[in-house]
Amino acid sequence: MAEETTPPTSAEPAASKPAVPARPAAAAGGAKPTAAAKPAGHAAPKGPPLATLTPELAQLQQQFGESVIAPAPYVGVLVNDLGKLREVMTYVRDQLGFDMLANATAVDYIKEGYIEVVYHPQRSKGGEPITLKVRVPRGNDPVAPTEVAVPSLVPVYAGAEFQEREIYDMFGVRFEGHPDLRRILTWEGFYGWPLRKDWREPYYEGDTKPFESRWPGGHHQLAEERVPWQDNVNYPPGFDPLNFQANPDAGLYDSMLGGVPGVEVEPNGQAQRSPQPKGVGASVPVLDRNYNNLADDEELQTDQIIVNMGPQHPSTHGVLRMVVKLDGETVTDLKLVLGYLHRNHEKIGERNTWLHNIPYTDRLDYICGIANELGYVITVEKMMGIKPTERAEYLRVIMTELTRIESHFWAIGFLLNDLGAFYTPALYFITERDLILDLFESVTGSRLMCNYMRFGGVSRDLTEDQIMRARELAFERIPRKIDELEQLLTDNEIIKARTIGVGYLPAERSINYSLTGPCLRAAGVPYDIRRVDPYSIYDRFDFDIPVFYGADVYDRYRVRVAEMRQSLRIVQQALNQLDQTKPGDIQAGKKAYNHRVPAGQAYGRVETPKGELGFYLVSDGGQNAYRYHVRSSSFINLNSLKEMTVGQKVADAVVILGSLDIVLGEVDR
Amino acid sequence: MAELTNANMPEELQNDPRVPDDLKNNVFITSLDKIYNWGRKRSVWPMLFGLACCAIEMIATAASRHDLSRFGWELMRASPRQADLMIVSGTVTKKMIPQIVRLYNQMPEPRYVIAMGACATAGGPFKEGYNVVSGVDKFIPVDVYITGCPPRPEALLHSFIKLQEKIEKQSLRNVPWYRKGEEDVIPVPVLGPDLVDPRRAQEIKGKAEQIAEGQPAA
Amino acid sequence: MGLLGTGILKGLGVTLRHFIDTYAEDLKYILNKSGVQQPRPLRRQSPKARGLVTVEYPRERLPLPENFRYVPFLVYDTEKQDDKCTSCGICAKVCPPQCIWIVRTEDPVTKRPVPQPKEFYIDTTICMNCGYCAEFCPFDAIKMDHDYELSYYPHQEPHARLVQDKAELTKPDTYHASIHPTDWHRELEDRAAEEAKKKAAAEAKAKADAAKAAGGSAAPGAAGAKPATPAAAATTSKPAPPKAEDKPADAAGEASDQ
Ligand code: SF4
């Protein structure tokens, strides 16, 4: 048992990594980021814009002179010279140590006429992220992307791939040098750029809620009756539905088909399967049982095939579509098609008032709604400069950590489902989960969509009965059940055979892919926001950040089990300290429903069971968010799926996906 | 559903207000029907097909506490070919609806659809979203609706009971699936600049032209 | 690492224990004839329980917690024979998916708003059951229902049932009291406090009037006898609901901004 006390540098575990990962059986590494990990004198912009620069940004400015400016009042720095962006980012990554791109998004400043792309790089060792921005003129063409392209950051941060595609899809910002710049959440051929401020959805009723038509003269009207198409659709003028070429997957297969014989990619981008006789294909060596190549003349003529898994597939955890290229049973390429559950969370979020958004965040990652609410609420509180009451803080922690346990139960159950242990483990764990949900229901009123957090507090206090119930669960029932879970699964030889060494992704690649959450900690990086950038009152509790070094499916499972135990520790401590707070004191200030948030911007983040959940909010001082962006861990974690899966068997592809524990509501938003 | 006829119902019954509308078509429930429906209603196999948050409650319904199997709805089948019931559990997006219609077309008759939750019923809280279909019934016929966001597992079970009621009321005489001739196939929507319903193509074309000419399309 | 296969056996042990538990627990229940028992669904869901957890839904039901929320309903005051709603519009504003439509009643003569809704719609196909309306209503006029058995198969117009109008939404306060006892209790207390306050105010006013009539000399004494009136108003847990003026909602909200 090696107790890991300092966070290893990102390269360390990877460098000492043999081909088959040896596993130093590190249990909970009490990896407190030391003071060194947090840059001294770090004055990050909090809430309303500050003109002060963090030392890193100042250094950056020194290094690059005029091409990096920070006009006051401005959060972060602006990279003035687009051509230098990649150079600046490489410097940020290598010299300043911000090795992980936490978040990339864009804001459409329509009045000023530009779109600002915002990057939040951060250190995998901890500390707050820094903010860098670039601007491109937005142009006024409804369909054309921006004329000026931003250099793609994929060569610097692999985790930028999906995020840049999302920016392209939502804002029409082109990225030069992106390996596969296609629409990601909508489909190819979609009309317009949805998150631009001048783009209107078909059921558009007003820029901001509450809508005028509801009161005082609120005669009910269906949205369908209000719009010209009598449906939630909108077509460009003169659109001819009888005579158009639809190809929502345009470009998808082309990049994958390069290696498939018999298929030529024509100059127009349309892949054509030429009528070749069967059996003409890439020759694959025939191996004997010891993987020795048999004589050349015994080679078979085989073909690679492309298989679509999903969006309706029992093991894609919802409506995800994986397109895999197979050579026999081995995956040689993988592409994801997302957006089958794209519910326009951000567009709706920008119409909503600040309060309206809380129940919507429940529906992001619907397995752990309360954790999402916390992320949103603390970000808004940061901007408003308010603090919740003591009791509310404790209640938040108790509920969020119970959510983590409940979510990990779910994740492990369905990982086992994917492994073929169909439903028995999942059934056992859903039973336990139901008990936690019962508590949620009795406190908040709903099992999943708790709508529990408020700005400056929570909606309801725990009664004595509910505290008793929570204690019974936290001190007695769940610990027993986690032991049982371990008995059932941890030593099981079949599980080990199926998972050890599967889905391997070394630490420094994981960081480069912006992987967060249990998957990153299973690769030996003790990165947990509750520790590296503490929020709420997590600094008061005694708990460890479990770290394992296998970077494979098995260790992701073990991290989750260990995390459940740590969460229990937190819940137990919080329940014990709860009676030191004043019952009923759950809301700071007066409860209000129309908040105004001071103009400014903030990036707030919490550690949800899936990883880092960030909210990037821009306020113009009104009742609504000017920009509401969700940095969802499930979405960004999927970036790395390809690298984990290529070279593995197709049956393992679903297992690897299961080990990432994605929730489609959060992936597609 | 096929056109149900009242042809073989006695006049006085047809006009009798005590007979519910639903039953008017089905007064002649023979004992054969009873046996037939008894068997059918206790062996509906749902399709293993989840869309969004509601799917989590659907899985919870299938788990130990609520135990779908008590109704004989034993197995969730991953293939539409083996399923009788599609539980549309969650938000139906424009990107997903072509697949849903295709799955529906692939299900053999008799087939049923439950729209679970506000989203599947009519768009729900995400109705205003640009990528959301305002209810799955815009494309496929729905047998039972459940409101709620999400419906409790019990609410889903309640909808099963409702569906059983509905199955009980069907009669061998006029069920559509023993008819001769082609099955109705619902045309699969196409993703163009926006979702295009092939059944409305002509109408869309007209309106788009009007708009292009600058007239308001009423 | 032990012998190959021990891990699997250990796991099978767990499943076997679960299997035995399902019978053992029920046997215990049957054999235990001593006195009162928890009803079965509750017993099965208690954190101490082992064995079966199934609730046989149509026959058995889990008790719903008081806070449970499904679609909202409007409370009808059976005592005063009146809607509690004053059509102030707060619920329509806090509703995140904007599923509430309210038409305010106007006095036919003066055209001034009357504190009563003329029409009230909730589109339950949009409602996300978040509970904001009930939480922020200053008049306790809208509450979240417990009736989740709303599924139906369409008879004619598929959605007619789902857009509920005022008549469908209104339920008596006795029903509200039966499903939300704690909440109801708080309301009664609030109301009593308010009555007391009103009474006190009226008395004070009467006395002051009397004093005035008597010619000023008794006035200081009367004020001294009833010093608590304004203070009592401030300390009641709920401030007196603003009597529906033109825009009580906005005024209240605006004030709380700062
Ligand atoms: S009805 Fe509610 S719970 Fe169900 S899918 Fe829609 S948002 Fe999710």
Side-chain angles (χ1 to χ4, degrees), chain A residues 363-386:
Chain A
R363 285 146 181 91
L364 272 174
D365 176 348
Y366 32 75
I367 311 278
C368 51
I370 292 189
N372 308 337
E373 288 171 24
L374 182 63
Y376 174 65
V377 165
I378 64 166
T379 313
V380 177
E381 282 170 0
K382 205 164 152 184
M383 298 174 81
M384 297 206 295
I386 55 175

PDB file of all heavy atoms in Angstrom, chain A residues 363-386:
ATOM      1  N   ARG A 363     -31.896  18.520 -15.366  1.00  0.00           N
ATOM      2  CA  ARG A 363     -32.099  17.654 -16.521  1.00  0.00           C
ATOM      3  C   ARG A 363     -30.858  17.543 -17.388  1.00  0.00           C
ATOM      4  O   ARG A 363     -30.913  16.947 -18.455  1.00  0.00           O
ATOM      5  CB  ARG A 363     -33.294  18.163 -17.331  1.00  0.00           C
ATOM      6  CG  ARG A 363     -34.595  17.824 -16.651  1.00  0.00           C
ATOM      7  CD  ARG A 363     -35.647  18.864 -16.836  1.00  0.00           C
ATOM      8  NE  ARG A 363     -36.884  18.512 -16.149  1.00  0.00           N
ATOM      9  CZ  ARG A 363     -37.171  18.859 -14.896  1.00  0.00           C
ATOM     10  NH1 ARG A 363     -36.319  19.558 -14.185  1.00  0.00           N
ATOM     11  NH2 ARG A 363     -38.313  18.512 -14.350  1.00  0.00           N
ATOM     12  N   LEU A 364     -29.771  18.147 -16.926  1.00  0.00           N
ATOM     13  CA  LEU A 364     -28.515  17.968 -17.654  1.00  0.00           C
ATOM     14  C   LEU A 364     -28.036  16.537 -17.491  1.00  0.00           C
ATOM     15  O   LEU A 364     -28.081  15.742 -18.413  1.00  0.00           O
ATOM     16  CB  LEU A 364     -27.455  18.892 -17.068  1.00  0.00           C
ATOM     17  CG  LEU A 364     -27.326  20.292 -17.601  1.00  0.00           C
ATOM     18  CD1 LEU A 364     -26.322  21.033 -16.769  1.00  0.00           C
ATOM     19  CD2 LEU A 364     -26.884  20.251 -19.040  1.00  0.00           C
ATOM     20  N   ASP A 365     -27.538  16.265 -16.310  1.00  0.00           N
ATOM     21  CA  ASP A 365     -27.139  14.908 -16.014  1.00  0.00           C
ATOM     22  C   ASP A 365     -28.172  14.397 -15.045  1.00  0.00           C
ATOM     23  O   ASP A 365     -28.097  14.631 -13.854  1.00  0.00           O
ATOM     24  CB  ASP A 365     -25.740  14.916 -15.391  1.00  0.00           C
ATOM     25  CG  ASP A 365     -25.323  13.534 -14.969  1.00  0.00           C
ATOM     26  OD1 ASP A 365     -26.191  12.656 -14.954  1.00  0.00           O
ATOM     27  OD2 ASP A 365     -24.157  13.329 -14.657  1.00  0.00           O
ATOM     28  N   TYR A 366     -29.157  13.720 -15.596  1.00  0.00           N
ATOM     29  CA  TYR A 366     -30.328  13.429 -14.781  1.00  0.00           C
ATOM     30  C   TYR A 366     -30.098  12.344 -13.747  1.00  0.00           C
ATOM     31  O   TYR A 366     -30.981  12.010 -12.992  1.00  0.00           O
ATOM     32  CB  TYR A 366     -31.524  13.095 -15.671  1.00  0.00           C
ATOM     33  CG  TYR A 366     -31.168  12.420 -16.972  1.00  0.00           C
ATOM     34  CD1 TYR A 366     -30.801  11.112 -17.005  1.00  0.00           C
ATOM     35  CD2 TYR A 366     -31.191  13.144 -18.170  1.00  0.00           C
ATOM     36  CE1 TYR A 366     -30.466  10.503 -18.192  1.00  0.00           C
ATOM     37  CE2 TYR A 366     -30.863  12.537 -19.364  1.00  0.00           C
ATOM     38  CZ  TYR A 366     -30.502  11.213 -19.367  1.00  0.00           C
ATOM     39  OH  TYR A 366     -30.166  10.623 -20.542  1.00  0.00           O
ATOM     40  N   ILE A 367     -28.924  11.760 -13.732  1.00  0.00           N
ATOM     41  CA  ILE A 367     -28.661  10.806 -12.660  1.00  0.00           C
ATOM     42  C   ILE A 367     -28.286  11.559 -11.390  1.00  0.00           C
ATOM     43  O   ILE A 367     -28.529  11.098 -10.291  1.00  0.00           O
ATOM     44  CB  ILE A 367     -27.507   9.857 -13.042  1.00  0.00           C
ATOM     45  CG1 ILE A 367     -27.720   9.274 -14.413  1.00  0.00           C
ATOM     46  CG2 ILE A 367     -27.313   8.782 -11.997  1.00  0.00           C
ATOM     47  CD1 ILE A 367     -28.616   8.124 -14.466  1.00  0.00           C
ATOM     48  N   CYS A 368     -27.634  12.685 -11.558  1.00  0.00           N
ATOM     49  CA  CYS A 368     -27.169  13.392 -10.353  1.00  0.00           C
ATOM     50  C   CYS A 368     -27.564  14.859 -10.439  1.00  0.00           C
ATOM     51  O   CYS A 368     -26.716  15.743 -10.482  1.00  0.00           O
ATOM     52  CB  CYS A 368     -25.675  13.226 -10.176  1.00  0.00           C
ATOM     53  SG  CYS A 368     -24.713  13.614 -11.613  1.00  0.00           S
ATOM     54  N   GLY A 369     -28.855  15.107 -10.460  1.00  0.00           N
ATOM     55  CA  GLY A 369     -29.361  16.458 -10.625  1.00  0.00           C
ATOM     56  C   GLY A 369     -28.839  17.451  -9.615  1.00  0.00           C
ATOM     57  O   GLY A 369     -28.467  18.569  -9.960  1.00  0.00           O
ATOM     58  N   ILE A 370     -28.789  17.051  -8.354  1.00  0.00           N
ATOM     59  CA  ILE A 370     -28.428  18.010  -7.317  1.00  0.00           C
ATOM     60  C   ILE A 370     -27.007  18.511  -7.514  1.00  0.00           C
ATOM     61  O   ILE A 370     -26.716  19.688  -7.282  1.00  0.00           O
ATOM     62  CB  ILE A 370     -28.614  17.365  -5.932  1.00  0.00           C
ATOM     63  CG1 ILE A 370     -30.096  17.141  -5.699  1.00  0.00           C
ATOM     64  CG2 ILE A 370     -28.036  18.235  -4.850  1.00  0.00           C
ATOM     65  CD1 ILE A 370     -30.446  16.714  -4.319  1.00  0.00           C
ATOM     66  N   ALA A 371     -26.135  17.647  -7.979  1.00  0.00           N
ATOM     67  CA  ALA A 371     -24.748  18.073  -8.188  1.00  0.00           C
ATOM     68  C   ALA A 371     -24.689  19.150  -9.269  1.00  0.00           C
ATOM     69  O   ALA A 371     -23.910  20.102  -9.161  1.00  0.00           O
ATOM     70  CB  ALA A 371     -23.892  16.878  -8.579  1.00  0.00           C
ATOM     71  N   ASN A 372     -25.509  19.034 -10.293  1.00  0.00           N
ATOM     72  CA  ASN A 372     -25.515  20.068 -11.334  1.00  0.00           C
ATOM     73  C   ASN A 372     -26.023  21.385 -10.790  1.00  0.00           C
ATOM     74  O   ASN A 372     -25.495  22.442 -11.104  1.00  0.00           O
ATOM     75  CB  ASN A 372     -26.419  19.675 -12.498  1.00  0.00           C
ATOM     76  CG  ASN A 372     -26.115  18.315 -13.033  1.00  0.00           C
ATOM     77  OD1 ASN A 372     -25.021  17.809 -12.863  1.00  0.00           O
ATOM     78  ND2 ASN A 372     -27.070  17.701 -13.674  1.00  0.00           N
ATOM     79  N   GLU A 373     -27.098  21.277  -9.979  1.00  0.00           N
ATOM     80  CA  GLU A 373     -27.647  22.506  -9.417  1.00  0.00           C
ATOM     81  C   GLU A 373     -26.582  23.235  -8.627  1.00  0.00           C
ATOM     82  O   GLU A 373     -26.453  24.454  -8.716  1.00  0.00           O
ATOM     83  CB  GLU A 373     -28.800  22.173  -8.469  1.00  0.00           C
ATOM     84  CG  GLU A 373     -30.041  21.716  -9.138  1.00  0.00           C
ATOM     85  CD  GLU A 373     -31.033  21.193  -8.111  1.00  0.00           C
ATOM     86  OE1 GLU A 373     -30.958  21.587  -6.952  1.00  0.00           O
ATOM     87  OE2 GLU A 373     -31.860  20.360  -8.495  1.00  0.00           O
ATOM     88  N   LEU A 374     -25.821  22.474  -7.866  1.00  0.00           N
ATOM     89  CA  LEU A 374     -24.806  23.113  -7.037  1.00  0.00           C
ATOM     90  C   LEU A 374     -23.836  23.898  -7.910  1.00  0.00           C
ATOM     91  O   LEU A 374     -23.492  25.040  -7.600  1.00  0.00           O
ATOM     92  CB  LEU A 374     -24.060  22.049  -6.222  1.00  0.00           C
ATOM     93  CG  LEU A 374     -23.002  22.604  -5.287  1.00  0.00           C
ATOM     94  CD1 LEU A 374     -23.642  23.483  -4.238  1.00  0.00           C
ATOM     95  CD2 LEU A 374     -22.211  21.504  -4.619  1.00  0.00           C
ATOM     96  N   GLY A 375     -23.417  23.300  -9.019  1.00  0.00           N
ATOM     97  CA  GLY A 375     -22.480  23.990  -9.891  1.00  0.00           C
ATOM     98  C   GLY A 375     -23.045  25.307 -10.386  1.00  0.00           C
ATOM     99  O   GLY A 375     -22.368  26.343 -10.359  1.00  0.00           O
ATOM    100  N   TYR A 376     -24.264  25.274 -10.803  1.00  0.00           N
ATOM    101  CA  TYR A 376     -24.877  26.494 -11.333  1.00  0.00           C
ATOM    102  C   TYR A 376     -25.051  27.531 -10.239  1.00  0.00           C
ATOM    103  O   TYR A 376     -24.705  28.703 -10.390  1.00  0.00           O
ATOM    104  CB  TYR A 376     -26.234  26.143 -11.961  1.00  0.00           C
ATOM    105  CG  TYR A 376     -27.018  27.338 -12.411  1.00  0.00           C
ATOM    106  CD1 TYR A 376     -26.551  28.141 -13.436  1.00  0.00           C
ATOM    107  CD2 TYR A 376     -28.221  27.671 -11.811  1.00  0.00           C
ATOM    108  CE1 TYR A 376     -27.263  29.247 -13.853  1.00  0.00           C
ATOM    109  CE2 TYR A 376     -28.940  28.759 -12.224  1.00  0.00           C
ATOM    110  CZ  TYR A 376     -28.456  29.552 -13.240  1.00  0.00           C
ATOM    111  OH  TYR A 376     -29.154  30.640 -13.646  1.00  0.00           O
ATOM    112  N   VAL A 377     -25.557  27.059  -9.113  1.00  0.00           N
ATOM    113  CA  VAL A 377     -25.877  27.999  -8.043  1.00  0.00           C
ATOM    114  C   VAL A 377     -24.615  28.665  -7.502  1.00  0.00           C
ATOM    115  O   VAL A 377     -24.606  29.878  -7.273  1.00  0.00           O
ATOM    116  CB  VAL A 377     -26.662  27.247  -6.952  1.00  0.00           C
ATOM    117  CG1 VAL A 377     -26.712  28.050  -5.688  1.00  0.00           C
ATOM    118  CG2 VAL A 377     -28.066  26.962  -7.415  1.00  0.00           C
ATOM    119  N   ILE A 378     -23.550  27.916  -7.346  1.00  0.00           N
ATOM    120  CA  ILE A 378     -22.372  28.591  -6.787  1.00  0.00           C
ATOM    121  C   ILE A 378     -21.759  29.544  -7.807  1.00  0.00           C
ATOM    122  O   ILE A 378     -21.164  30.549  -7.433  1.00  0.00           O
ATOM    123  CB  ILE A 378     -21.302  27.621  -6.223  1.00  0.00           C
ATOM    124  CG1 ILE A 378     -20.701  26.748  -7.292  1.00  0.00           C
ATOM    125  CG2 ILE A 378     -21.812  26.818  -5.071  1.00  0.00           C
ATOM    126  CD1 ILE A 378     -19.446  26.056  -6.789  1.00  0.00           C
ATOM    127  N   THR A 379     -21.929  29.256  -9.085  1.00  0.00           N
ATOM    128  CA  THR A 379     -21.411  30.209 -10.061  1.00  0.00           C
ATOM    129  C   THR A 379     -22.181  31.519 -10.000  1.00  0.00           C
ATOM    130  O   THR A 379     -21.587  32.600 -10.034  1.00  0.00           O
ATOM    131  CB  THR A 379     -21.507  29.621 -11.477  1.00  0.00           C
ATOM    132  OG1 THR A 379     -20.999  28.302 -11.454  1.00  0.00           O
ATOM    133  CG2 THR A 379     -20.708  30.441 -12.452  1.00  0.00           C
ATOM    134  N   VAL A 380     -23.492  31.404  -9.910  1.00  0.00           N
ATOM    135  CA  VAL A 380     -24.291  32.638  -9.842  1.00  0.00           C
ATOM    136  C   VAL A 380     -24.011  33.374  -8.531  1.00  0.00           C
ATOM    137  O   VAL A 380     -23.905  34.600  -8.499  1.00  0.00           O
ATOM    138  CB  VAL A 380     -25.788  32.322 -10.003  1.00  0.00           C
ATOM    139  CG1 VAL A 380     -26.616  33.573  -9.859  1.00  0.00           C
ATOM    140  CG2 VAL A 380     -26.036  31.688 -11.353  1.00  0.00           C
ATOM    141  N   GLU A 381     -23.874  32.609  -7.465  1.00  0.00           N
ATOM    142  CA  GLU A 381     -23.569  33.255  -6.184  1.00  0.00           C
ATOM    143  C   GLU A 381     -22.247  34.001  -6.242  1.00  0.00           C
ATOM    144  O   GLU A 381     -22.084  35.074  -5.656  1.00  0.00           O
ATOM    145  CB  GLU A 381     -23.532  32.206  -5.062  1.00  0.00           C
ATOM    146  CG  GLU A 381     -24.910  31.788  -4.614  1.00  0.00           C
ATOM    147  CD  GLU A 381     -24.881  30.590  -3.699  1.00  0.00           C
ATOM    148  OE1 GLU A 381     -23.782  30.068  -3.412  1.00  0.00           O
ATOM    149  OE2 GLU A 381     -25.964  30.157  -3.280  1.00  0.00           O
ATOM    150  N   LYS A 382     -21.305  33.413  -6.958  1.00  0.00           N
ATOM    151  CA  LYS A 382     -20.011  34.061  -7.141  1.00  0.00           C
ATOM    152  C   LYS A 382     -20.211  35.422  -7.812  1.00  0.00           C
ATOM    153  O   LYS A 382     -19.610  36.415  -7.425  1.00  0.00           O
ATOM    154  CB  LYS A 382     -19.190  33.158  -8.056  1.00  0.00           C
ATOM    155  CG  LYS A 382     -17.704  33.256  -7.958  1.00  0.00           C
ATOM    156  CD  LYS A 382     -17.146  32.013  -8.652  1.00  0.00           C
ATOM    157  CE  LYS A 382     -15.809  32.137  -9.250  1.00  0.00           C
ATOM    158  NZ  LYS A 382     -15.410  30.916  -9.978  1.00  0.00           N
ATOM    159  N   MET A 383     -21.089  35.455  -8.806  1.00  0.00           N
ATOM    160  CA  MET A 383     -21.295  36.716  -9.514  1.00  0.00           C
ATOM    161  C   MET A 383     -22.084  37.704  -8.668  1.00  0.00           C
ATOM    162  O   MET A 383     -21.859  38.908  -8.735  1.00  0.00           O
ATOM    163  CB  MET A 383     -22.039  36.469 -10.829  1.00  0.00           C
ATOM    164  CG  MET A 383     -21.280  35.582 -11.781  1.00  0.00           C
ATOM    165  SD  MET A 383     -22.236  35.155 -13.234  1.00  0.00           S
ATOM    166  CE  MET A 383     -22.038  36.596 -14.241  1.00  0.00           C
ATOM    167  N   MET A 384     -23.026  37.181  -7.887  1.00  0.00           N
ATOM    168  CA  MET A 384     -23.833  38.086  -7.089  1.00  0.00           C
ATOM    169  C   MET A 384     -23.131  38.464  -5.804  1.00  0.00           C
ATOM    170  O   MET A 384     -23.544  39.409  -5.122  1.00  0.00           O
ATOM    171  CB  MET A 384     -25.176  37.433  -6.739  1.00  0.00           C
ATOM    172  CG  MET A 384     -26.020  37.135  -7.946  1.00  0.00           C
ATOM    173  SD  MET A 384     -27.793  37.079  -7.588  1.00  0.00           S
ATOM    174  CE  MET A 384     -27.940  35.697  -6.529  1.00  0.00           C
ATOM    175  N   GLY A 385     -22.123  37.699  -5.445  1.00  0.00           N
ATOM    176  CA  GLY A 385     -21.396  38.006  -4.226  1.00  0.00           C
ATOM    177  C   GLY A 385     -22.185  37.693  -2.970  1.00  0.00           C
ATOM    178  O   GLY A 385     -22.100  38.423  -1.985  1.00  0.00           O
ATOM    179  N   ILE A 386     -22.968  36.629  -2.986  1.00  0.00           N
ATOM    180  CA  ILE A 386     -23.662  36.257  -1.762  1.00  0.00           C
ATOM    181  C   ILE A 386     -23.164  34.909  -1.280  1.00  0.00           C
ATOM    182  O   ILE A 386     -22.555  34.148  -2.033  1.00  0.00           O
ATOM    183  CB  ILE A 386     -25.197  36.199  -1.945  1.00  0.00           C
ATOM    184  CG1 ILE A 386     -25.551  35.271  -3.103  1.00  0.00           C
ATOM    185  CG2 ILE A 386     -25.749  37.574  -2.139  1.00  0.00           C
ATOM    186  CD1 ILE A 386     -27.037  35.079  -3.250  1.00  0.00           C
TER     187      ILE A 386
END
